[in-house]
Amino acid sequence: MTDVVRMPEQKASFFDAPVFSEGFRVFFPLTALYALFSIAMWGLVLADVLPVPFDADPLLFHQYEMFFGLFAAAMAGFLTTAVPSWSNTPKIAGAELAGLGALWLAGRMAFWTLDIFPSAIVFGIQALFPAALLVVVLPRLLRAKMRHLMWPVLMLCAAQIVCFWEYTELGVLNQGLAIAEGAFVLMVLTALAPVSMVIVNDALSTREDGAVFIPRPPMRRAALFCISAFTLAKVLGVSDALQGWLALASACAVLNILQDWHHAGSLRTPFSKALYLVYWFFGVGFALEAGGLLGVFSAGSYVSGQHMIFIGGLSLATFMVLTIAGLRHAGYSLRLPKVLGVAILSLIGACLVRSLGPLLVPDLDVMQIAWSLFALAFGLYLVHFLPIVFRENVDV
């Protein structure tokens, strides 16, 4: 009788859980959770319900945390999910992915201790996350010949350093935040090219003439160049007139990208409609900033333009990437669940209320309405996606 040799069973590691199998499963829920947390905290701070814990303008720190907390988590989720697929390299998963998530969480916890610990320690801890993210994705980006995606991450690292210097020496964050804003706008416009190809061509699939959507690189590069020039002008503190003209050039360049979208049927799906709106929000936001800088509109139009860029451009684009990549990489088809449709409308409403409300109805306090709509959008996202990230992919 032949003895059967039994191989010892491998013990399942904590990092083998589905939640650590792909970047979107960690960072997309963190993005939505932090959106809820940060908007609640800063809503209470700006409403004078809670005292601001820092010796600086609370609005600057609100912007800082939206950039380095919410948008940084979304960028990490996108890069750690998409880049391995594009570069045909192993997934960023397990302990490596958990480590990146821990560094992001450590940075956010450090941020809220800025009035307790030395700023060098706090900003040093926060800088670990973008630096580690760059180390993890850079070899894959080089292999996939997508070096252009590394520049926004490098800009984010530079923004962290500048913010540390500004806060330590001047007690402000203006130049660092300008760099961070430019980094995320560049990242979104760069990432939307491959995402929109999938979405718009899916919308065009019902056409019988075989029409294909291909975003033309020269139009996108022109927009990236104008936005980079505008960002540099803000960092250098040049005249409002020059900044205004560069903002106007950025608006025109972004809207010029939409020429590629004008095919019959390209806006057939809710996904393509929402992505189309992102470009409009960016374009109108830059135009409002230009109007404020050039004195064509009231001074408040600059702030309205900023909120249209932050909420309508960056936040809506982030939400759509969270939704599209989350559905596709979890194995679901590109059909928009009703709850997420309501969330998208809620986020669009938050943008319009916060950006245009103060211009059209200056006597009305729109802050609480905008905050509630913003929180509702990301709350509904969590309701739908939290059960998904903790289980295996499905085959639909």
Side-chain angles (χ1 to χ4, degrees):
M1 186 172 180
T2 306
D3 291 333
V4 177
V5 179
R6 295 190 177 184
M7 300 296 292
E9 292 184 7
Q10 285 190 338
K11 246 185 166 182
S13 166
F14 169 75
F15 299 114
D16 292 331
V19 70
F20 296 118
S21 63
E22 215 162 349
F24 79 93
R25 294 178 178 272
V26 170
F27 284 107
F28 286 2
L30 285 177
T31 300
L33 282 168
Y34 208 71
L36 294 176
F37 172 78
S38 60
I39 205 66
M41 291 298 294
W42 287 115
L44 294 174
V45 167
L46 299 178
D48 293 326
V49 176
L50 289 179
V52 63
F54 313 113
D55 297 327
D57 185 349
L59 284 171
L60 292 178
F61 279 98
H62 170 55
Q63 292 178 19
Y64 178 93
E65 197 55 359
M66 294 297 282
F67 285 142
F68 293 100
L70 189 150
F71 295 137
M75 181 176 71
F78 172 75
L79 290 175
T80 54
T81 301
V83 171
S85 175
W86 293 337
S87 59
N88 196 26
T89 55
K91 291 181 179 180
I92 299 170
E96 183 179 37
L97 177 60
L100 284 174
L103 285 178
W104 177 87
L105 186 60
R108 306 298 29 94
M109 293 173 66
F111 171 81
W112 290 97
T113 64
L114 191 52
D115 57 345
I116 301 174
F117 297 105
S119 57
I121 294 176
V122 171
F123 280 96
I125 293 173
Q126 292 187 78
L128 291 175
F129 173 67
L133 179 64
L134 187 64
V135 168
V136 169
V137 301
L138 183 57
R140 292 173 167 88
L141 288 174
L142 295 175
R143 176 167 178 170
K145 297 181 179 179
M146 300 190 74
R147 297 178 182 86
H148 52 286
L149 280 174
M150 74 180 182
W151 298 115
V153 186
L154 284 170
M155 286 178 66
L156 194 62
C157 294
Q160 192 83 77
I161 295 170
V162 173
C163 281
F164 165 63
W165 175 82
E166 280 190 296
Y167 179 74
T168 304
E169 298 296 326
L170 307 173
V172 297
L173 298 166
N174 298 322
Q175 293 175 318
L177 291 179
I179 297 172
E181 179 187 347
F184 284 113
V185 174
L186 294 178
M187 172 59 76
V188 165
L189 291 179
T190 302
L192 282 186
V195 173
S196 59
M197 278 189 68
V198 173
I199 295 303
V200 178
N201 282 317
D202 177 65
L204 294 173
S205 61
T206 57
R207 285 182 50 165
E208 298 179 356
D209 59 357
V212 176
F213 167 76
I214 301 176
R216 285 175 283 180
M219 293 185 175
R220 193 167 303 274
R221 288 170 187 160
L224 298 179
F225 175 80
C226 291
I227 294 166
S228 299
F230 179 42
T231 300
L232 182 61
K234 287 192 288 185
V235 172
L236 296 178
V238 302
S239 68
D240 286 353
L242 180 55
Q243 289 188 46
W245 286 113
L246 289 172
L248 186 59
S250 299
C252 295
V254 169
L255 295 178
N256 190 48
I257 294 174
L258 293 178
Q259 289 190 61
D260 293 329
W261 285 64
H262 295 157
H263 298 278
S266 62
L267 301 181
R268 184 177 60 85
T269 68
F271 296 106
S272 58
K273 289 184 179 73
L275 292 180
Y276 188 79
L277 268 181
V278 167
Y279 288 100
W280 271 103
F281 283 137
F282 274 133
V284 175
F286 282 123
L288 286 172
E289 287 187 333
L293 289 166
L294 295 172
V296 177
F297 305 140
S298 66
S301 67
Y302 182 86
V303 176
S304 292
Q306 279 192 314
H307 281 99
M308 187 160 284
I309 291 171
F310 295 162
I311 305 175
L314 293 176
S315 297
L316 181 58
T318 294
F319 191 92
M320 295 312 300
V321 169
L322 264 60
T323 300
I324 294 167
L327 289 172
R328 283 175 59 87
H329 286 271
Y332 292 87
S333 61
L334 283 179
R335 293 190 182 92
L336 186 67
K338 290 182 179 179
V339 65
L340 295 183
V342 173
I344 292 170
L345 292 175
S346 181
L347 193 53
I348 292 170
C351 171
L352 296 176
V353 168
R354 184 63 187 91
S355 58
L356 299 183
L359 294 179
L360 301 177
V361 194
D363 295 330
L364 179 66
D365 184 6
V366 300
M367 299 281 279
Q368 293 183 3
I369 300 173
W371 294 338
S372 300
L373 290 171
F374 187 90
L376 176 62
F378 285 97
L380 291 175
Y381 179 87
L382 282 173
V383 168
H384 183 80
F385 268 99
L386 266 184
I388 292 175
V389 300
F390 288 104
R391 60 175 181 248
E392 299 286 350
N393 284 6
V394 298
D395 294 319
V396 177

